[in-house]
Amino acid sequence: MPVREGRENDYRQWQRRVDQAAADFRGFEAAELYPPTSGEQNTWSVVFRFATIEQLATWLDSEERRELLDEGEDLFEEEPKQEILAGEAPPPDAVTAVVSHDIKPGHEREFAQWQHKVRKVQEKTPGFMGLELFDPVPGVQDKWVAVFRYDSREHLDEWLESETRAKLLEEGKRYFAGYDVRKISSAFSGWFRFNGEAEAGVPPNWKQAMTVLLALYPTVMVLNLTVGHQLDLVRLPGYLSLFIGNALSVSILTWLLMPLVNRIFAFWLVPGRMRKVVTNLLGVVAVVACYALFLAAFAWVTA
């Protein structure tokens, strides 16, 4: 979805309302928001997961969704595109490309054969993790969609920019009139990788340090007061207790607290260009206030 420049914060607020509305529908499993990568002209991606295609279609055709789309119309430079897929969720560390194709009438079989040929070539490329081809869903999804996954953004980009793929696309143009590529990075690709890029999507070092401290301090304190106390009772060696504590801390940060903190402070970690100074100041004040709150809470608990 191409969001208008300067409307990023308004879009986030609107998208949260959409997510909440979708969550009230039967079969809803998750909603994931992916900010734009460099060169994508402020295009955002949203993944809604439902248990079945029918339940997803109910949400897509609902009056609630139509009203929200009308309300948020001025947030976008053009009408948002959507792809509807039936399949399993991607592996946690995968980087995914979603490629939708407009197939020329009568060339469906040739396209499927061509796509099989592409897969055979892709299977030999570094980092390839799998490919799924989704047929159109009558009345819901008109395009053919290929979803392929790699173990890193670098390996995915190597394939997308390779001469081999360029030659295959030239051959495939006999069967499709056009295609669209969207790259989606996993939420677990790193503590601060909002858009999958090695540098562009990573906040400055000072923001990283403040944010990690915000999540790390209460984690260590809670573990010391609970698990640490139990480890002391069983008289484990200090080096082993420290290793267990660190392993628990890293796990909690990686899979629980850092994704949560990133989501809450996304407005500050990846601010819109139009409000960067004000947003930075508000973010710093909010983080420092959280520091003070944690210090006061643990001072009272340990008194």
Side-chain angles (χ1 to χ4, degrees):
M1 296 181 289
V3 177
R4 295 186 186 278
E5 186 172 340
R7 302 295 304 277
E8 294 85 358
N9 289 336
D10 294 334
Y11 166 70
R12 289 178 188 274
Q13 295 175 5
W14 175 84
Q15 187 61 55
R16 280 195 290 269
R17 293 177 55 203
V18 175
D19 296 347
Q20 292 170 358
D24 292 335
F25 279 71
R26 185 176 181 182
F28 175 84
E29 295 181 349
E32 303 164 16
L33 178 63
Y34 298 92
T37 61
S38 59
E40 287 188 326
Q41 300 180 346
N42 218 21
T43 299
W44 297 63
S45 298
V46 182
V47 177
F48 288 100
R49 302 188 189 279
F50 279 76
T52 67
I53 285 288
E54 292 75 16
Q55 290 168 338
L56 172 59
T58 299
W59 153 244
L60 294 177
D61 295 335
S62 66
E63 184 65 28
E64 292 89 337
R65 179 173 179 270
R66 281 194 291 270
E67 290 177 356
L68 286 166
L69 288 176
D70 291 340
E71 181 181 334
E73 184 177 2
D74 65 336
L75 297 174
F76 307 105
E77 295 178 355
E78 60 185 56
E79 185 177 354
K81 299 179 181 178
Q82 68 181 30
E83 310 294 349
I84 301 175
L85 311 177
E88 298 297 327
D93 296 323
V95 182
T96 304
V98 179
V99 187
S100 56
H101 302 81
D102 293 308
I103 306 303
K104 295 179 180 179
H107 289 78
E108 291 80 5
R109 178 176 296 181
E110 291 91 340
F111 170 78
Q113 293 173 346
W114 171 81
Q115 189 66 65
H116 179 73
K117 178 180 179 180
V118 174
R119 180 189 183 119
K120 290 297 183 182
V121 176
Q122 270 190 274
E123 288 175 347
K124 300 176 183 178
T125 58
F128 178 76
M129 299 180 68
L131 182 148
E132 297 173 88
L133 181 63
F134 297 89
D135 298 353
V137 180
V140 180
Q141 168 65 35
D142 297 329
K143 297 182 179 181
W144 290 64
V145 180
V147 178
F148 48 85
R149 304 182 180 96
Y150 280 79
D151 61 358
S152 69
R153 173 55 67 93
E154 292 73 22
H155 283 149
L156 172 60
D157 288 341
E158 284 179 9
W159 164 249
L160 292 176
E161 299 167 6
S162 67
E163 293 184 7
T164 301
R165 180 172 181 269
K167 293 178 181 178
L168 287 167
L169 286 175
E170 283 298 320
E171 177 184 337
K173 288 180 180 178
R174 308 172 195 168
Y175 317 123
F176 56 82
Y179 66 93
D180 179 66
V181 180
R182 295 289 302 144
K183 292 182 280 188
I184 299 176
S185 299
S186 166
F188 300 98
S189 59
W191 283 357
F192 293 99
R193 296 186 185 275
F194 286 85
N195 60 21
E197 293 296 325
E199 295 295 336
V202 180
N205 288 337
W206 64 275
K207 288 188 180 182
Q208 295 185 40
M210 290 186 69
T211 309
V212 171
L213 178 59
L214 178 63
L216 181 62
Y217 173 67
T219 301
V220 173
M221 284 298 298
V222 171
L223 288 175
N224 282 341
L225 294 173
T226 56
V227 178
H229 178 66
Q230 296 300 318
L231 293 176
D232 288 339
L233 291 178
V234 298
R235 297 183 179 181
L236 283 180
Y239 67 89
L240 183 56
S241 296
L242 184 60
F243 175 82
I244 294 174
N246 285 343
L248 291 173
S249 297
V250 170
S251 299
I252 292 171
L253 287 177
T254 301
W255 288 292
L256 179 61
L257 289 186
M258 287 310 300
L260 177 61
V261 170
N262 283 344
R263 192 177 304 118
I264 294 173
F265 288 93
F267 75 95
W268 173 61
L269 293 168
V270 189
R273 285 171 286 181
M274 301 298 291
R275 305 175 184 175
K276 192 170 184 179
V277 175
V278 175
T279 302
N280 279 338
L281 179 60
L282 291 175
V284 170
V285 171
V287 172
V288 172
C290 290
Y291 290 164
L293 180 62
F294 285 137
L295 287 169
F298 288 116
W300 177 76
V301 169
T302 59

